Amino acid sequence: MNDHACNRKRSQPDDAMDIVWQTPSNPPHRQDYIFRDGVRYVRPYYFDFISHAKNRWAGKTIVDLFADEFKGRPRDYYVSAVKTGRIQVDGQKVPISYVVQSSQKISHFLAVHEPPVMAMDIQILHTEPDVVTVYKPATTPVHPCGKYRKNTVVGILQAEHDLAPLFPIHRLDRLVSGLLIIARSASKADSFRQQIESGEVKKQYIARVTGVFPEDVQVADVSVNYNAREGRSTVEVENGPTGKSSVKGKFACTKFTRVSTNGTESIVLCEPITGRTHQIRVHLQYLGHPIANDFLYLSESVPHPSIEGLSADRAAANPGLPLKVNHCEINESGSEDECAKDFNINPMCTNCPDLPPKGYDIHEAGLWLHCIRYSGPDWTYECPYPKWASLS
């Protein structure tokens, strides 16, 4: 069976992402990272998170806004942050009863503890004047998002390889490893994006799944609906019990071919025709062969640890501030001085003395899902297979 089995009118693919790079005024450096027991941490730093008030925020008090939208900290913290001016509106201190209006600039100045990632090097696979391809390690996000900024592929490449600016041209989920193509100019990025949007780019992944996958090619041709609040996708069949379409998700199609099996698990080649969030993962679940270590889709009841703590302010950098967090200093050797234990004295930081923020698994493992190849009209980029792809 070929791609024509999935031939249908496509909407713009999800992986044709908006290509935006904001070079921070204090870019990441090698000394920003601490390595312990196979984990890469980021030294805590001060940061000014800036956002313009969304329409749904209008009419809320400044404290209610933060308590409702950013639940990672207690309400008392936000009360204190407003009173001391760490949270401001349009650059001014406001009372805790201040009512926010749409489009106002909201800023939150605080000490940042980024989530940790596995301490694996980002291997550069191929370089051209306007393209670089890398082997993305699992657990590392591609670009700044949520609470991640320096602990990202683009941040680490800038710090350790002096590569900037960078324009990732496709998505890989944080827990997924493999080939990542990065343009080094806006014009090259736009060229790649046009090819993705027109369906000229073919993508191949491999996955390690439960059970003996069928020997014949399997095609999952069912819509995918992503729930951002729950952090997971579901599949939707075109016709419900009444015979009427009740599909709310986006059309999605993936072709699967068994590579090998040991009678308990199988290695499967995955060729997504569309690019929806968690598409391969949820389509494999739909076929009855979920990724063997994918706790989000192996069970309906098991929560996935990587979902914890993902809501965070969006960032814009604030330069030139000393690296001091609630009397906790990180010295040049990377060790931590003893920190004050009574955080009520200075609620600037709610994480010290721990390096990672609360709610993150510092020994989180990657998914057995790996991008091996992207190809376009006149180009192909590939990535080596991971060790788990061998069932022997």
Side-chain angles (χ1 to χ4, degrees):
M1 187 176 295
N2 56 32
D3 293 351
H4 293 294
C6 301
N7 190 16
R8 193 187 301 178
K9 184 178 180 181
R10 307 183 183 112
S11 58
Q12 179 172 318
D14 287 352
D15 63 355
M17 57 187 291
D18 290 333
I19 301 174
V20 178
W21 171 262
Q22 295 180 340
T23 303
S25 52
N26 53 339
H29 300 284
R30 284 182 180 270
Q31 60 267 30
D32 292 340
Y33 301 96
I34 300 170
F35 299 89
R36 294 179 183 169
D37 301 322
V39 179
R40 179 193 290 264
Y41 301 91
V42 174
R43 299 176 187 274
Y45 55 93
Y46 284 132
F47 212 78
D48 207 12
F49 291 91
I50 298 174
S51 178
H52 286 86
K54 307 177 189 300
N55 290 333
R56 72 169 185 269
W57 297 0
K60 293 185 177 182
T61 68
I62 188 67
V63 172
D64 285 345
L65 186 161
F66 274 86
D68 292 345
E69 297 287 336
F70 307 108
K71 300 180 185 296
R73 294 179 173 81
R75 184 182 182 86
D76 288 347
Y77 168 83
Y78 292 123
V79 171
S80 173
V82 173
K83 286 182 176 179
T84 57
R86 294 194 300 277
I87 291 177
Q88 297 187 355
V89 178
D90 290 333
Q92 302 294 323
K93 287 182 64 176
V94 296
I96 60 175
S97 60
Y98 182 85
V99 176
V100 174
Q101 303 301 315
S102 179
S103 298
Q104 286 187 303
K105 185 177 78 172
I106 312 296
S107 59
H108 185 194
F109 177 72
L110 75 167
V112 174
H113 290 237
E114 288 199 23
V117 300
M118 290 194 297
M120 298 177 65
D121 291 335
I122 298 177
Q123 179 184 354
I124 295 178
L125 301 173
H126 181 76
T127 57
E128 299 173 10
D130 52 2
V131 178
V132 59
T133 66
V134 302
Y135 188 138
K136 172 195 166 318
T139 77
T140 305
V142 172
H143 51 72
C145 57
K147 290 185 177 180
Y148 296 88
R149 189 165 190 85
K150 297 182 181 182
N151 245 355
T152 62
V153 172
V154 293
I156 295 168
L157 287 175
Q158 183 171 11
E160 297 184 352
H161 297 276
D162 198 28
L163 291 172
L166 296 174
F167 304 81
I169 64 100
H170 64 101
R171 284 189 178 98
L172 285 182
D173 286 350
R174 186 175 62 84
L175 297 180
V176 176
S177 61
L179 175 68
L180 182 67
I181 306 170
I182 304 173
R184 302 198 61 188
S185 68
S187 59
K188 187 63 175 180
D190 189 57
S191 174
F192 275 123
R193 181 169 54 184
Q194 290 176 14
Q195 291 181 16
I196 291 174
E197 292 175 352
S198 63
E200 298 178 84
V201 175
K202 295 182 182 293
K203 301 160 280 186
Q204 292 184 324
Y205 294 71
I206 55 167
R208 182 167 175 167
V209 305
T210 61
V212 178
F213 198 84
E215 189 173 1
D216 295 336
V217 172
Q218 303 290 302
V219 175
D221 188 7
V222 288
S223 296
V224 170
N225 187 15
Y226 179 67
N227 187 319
R229 185 172 294 276
E230 295 182 1
R232 60 179 296 148
S233 291
T234 54
V235 298
E236 296 178 332
V237 180
E238 282 288 342
N239 296 315
T242 64
K244 295 181 179 179
S245 176
S246 58
V247 173
K248 296 180 181 178
K250 297 179 178 179
F251 162 69
C253 183
T254 315
K255 184 172 70 173
F256 298 100
T257 306
R258 191 177 83 187
V259 176
S260 62
T261 184
N262 62 6
T264 303
E265 296 176 339
S266 302
I267 301 298
V268 178
L269 177 67
C270 316
E271 299 176 272
I273 311 305
T274 54
R276 312 304 179 200
T277 302
H278 293 191
Q279 175 178 316
I280 294 175
R281 297 165 67 180
V282 73
H283 274 175
L284 284 168
Q285 180 198 49
Y286 170 75
L287 293 175
H289 298 275
I291 295 171
N293 70 342
D294 189 349
F295 294 105
L296 186 61
Y297 293 102
L298 274 171
S299 169
E300 295 293 334
S301 60
V302 179
H304 195 281
S306 68
I307 299 174
E308 297 295 325
L310 291 185
S311 295
D313 310 87
R314 295 191 180 275
N318 193 71
L321 294 163
L323 189 60
K324 292 186 178 181
V325 184
N326 192 27
H327 309 296
C328 174
E329 299 190 12
I330 311 299
N331 60 37
E332 289 300 321
S333 65
S335 64
E336 294 175 79
D337 295 328
E338 186 175 357
C339 299
K341 295 182 179 179
D342 185 0
F343 297 120
N344 291 325
I345 297 173
N346 181 359
M348 172 68 84
C349 179
T350 59
N351 289 295
C352 275
D354 297 325
L355 280 172
K358 293 179 177 63
Y360 283 84
D361 180 1
I362 63 172
H363 296 294
E364 182 181 46
L367 284 175
W368 286 339
L369 179 62
H370 181 85
C371 180
I372 59 170
R373 186 178 297 107
Y374 261 64
S375 57
D378 55 359
W379 55 268
T380 298
Y381 298 112
E382 297 182 334
C383 184
Y385 281 52
K387 291 181 179 179
W388 56 253
S390 172
L391 293 176
S392 57

